[in-house]
Each structure stands twice: as C-alpha cells, then as structure tokens.
Amino acid sequence: MTAILAMDGPSGAGKSSTSKAIAVRAGWNYLDTGALYRGATWLALNKKIQSAEELLVALSQSPLKFNPNPKSPMLKCGEIDISDAIRSEEVTSQVSKFAAMPEIRSVLVALQREIISNAEKGIVVEGRDIGTVVAPNAHLKIYLTADLTARAKRREAELNTNEDLSQSLATRDEMDSTRQTSPLEQAIDAVLVDSTDLDLNETTELIWELLKE
Ligand code: DC
C-alpha cells in the first residue's frame, strides 16, 4: 500500500514548499490538489463556461494531467502546459467558486485517488480535504496553518507585490471553509502545526520528525 502524508490547511501556510521538500527528502511523489481545482477553473475561464455540467464535458475532452515529481511538478490540460497560467490572479479569484461544485469535486477526487494509487513508494498530498475525504486512511495527517498576517506576507513575497493580500486570502478561506461539500477543516486525527514563527526549514524538520515516527 502506498504511504500517504496528507497536508491540509489554508492558503499561504507553506503547504506547497513544505510538501515538496518532504517528498524530495523521502523520495516520494507529490500531488498538489489545489493545482487540479485551478486547472478546472482555467479551463472554465478559457471556454467561458459557467455550469458544472459544461465543465465536466470540457474536462472529459481536455483531461487534466499532473506530473507528480516534486522536483518538477507540472499540470497539463489536454496537451497544453498550464503550470504557470493557473497561478494568474483571474484563476485565483475564481477558483473557490468552481471548487465548491460537488460534481467537479467528485471527478477531481477520483483523479487524485488514481494519482495516489500509482505512486510507488509514497506520496505527499496537499490540499484542503485530503485527511478528511480524499485519503482518510493517510498514515500521517498534518494541518498546517499560520496567522492571517503571516500568510499574507508570504504570498506577497512569493508574488513580489506590495499589494496587501490579507483581504483576498481571508475571502478565499471563508469560501473554502463554509462550502457544503468537503470544506476546509482539520481532521480529528491530524497533527496541528502552526508555522507563524517558523521558516520553511524549521517547518520541514518538524514534519519530517513526525513522519519518521
Ligand atoms: O492550494 P491552492 O491555493 O492552490 O488551492 C486553490 C483553491 O482550490 C483553493 O481556494 C481551495 C481549492 N481546493 C480545494 O477546494 N480542495 C483541495 N483539496 C485543494 C484546493
């Protein structure tokens, strides 16, 4: 059975950097489930689609393909590499809307489970509902969080902007936490890690020790 590390938590807590660092160190695969929701959103915006039904058809014609190598994760939609396009402001501002659609979640969760079961040694999976819905039997579940100001500062540094991103992060957290289908929440058996006062190395070391245990 594939070993699974589930890494959930709100935006900007450091899930991606930490997940990739752990996966590289362990020689495991890496799955960014947020990238899949972003990919579906990119397709919807590209094809000017509003409804879940139309988006399901578009996704079956141009399927999402994720390369689970933590050193070079890549997302394709059909034959197009959309790894950079899914990070645009437009996709970021619309993704919570499409991620709240149960039909879309259902096909993307099936895709996530397929990618997980294809991992040979193990896989680090980051998202919002990994420990609760996608892989409730994960061997280790981490709920990685940090206070809003710290998360906004990190995102601003990542995107190299002077704009205050705390409001947009707070709006996205609110939508992701209050939706009907698999909202962001800490699994009861998840270990809470608060990275407000930790850098990437310290966070990675802490989680690495938990994984070794
Ligand atoms: O981690 P991220 O910011 O790239 O995620 C993009 C959006 O996708 C985020 O607003 C919430 C949603 N998402 C989700 O609903 N479930 C997941 N497992 C991962 C992400």
Side-chain angles (χ1 to χ4, degrees), residues 168-185:
S168 73
L169 272 190
T171 308
R172 206 140 63 89
D173 287 352
E174 170 72 13
M175 283 182 77
D176 295 337
S177 310
T178 54
R179 66 171 177 240
Q180 288 278 318
T181 313
S182 28
L184 166 67
E185 61 178 343

Side-chain angles (χ1 to χ4, degrees), residues 89 152 156 161-166 168:
E89 221 170 280
E156 289 155 22
T161 173
N162 292 324
E163 200 188 329
D164 179 0
L165 294 181
S166 40
S168 73

Side-chain angles (χ1 to χ4, degrees), residues 11 15 32-35 37-38 87 95-96 99 105 112 126-130 155 172 176 179:
S11 315
K15 294 191 301 294
D32 174 3
T33 62
Y37 290 98
R38 287 173 178 271
R87 305 290 159 195
V95 62
S96 292
R105 298 200 73 82
Q112 290 160 33
E126 69 153 292
R128 304 291 190 288
D129 60 344
I130 310 308
R155 268 291 143 90
R172 206 140 63 89
D176 295 337
R179 66 171 177 240

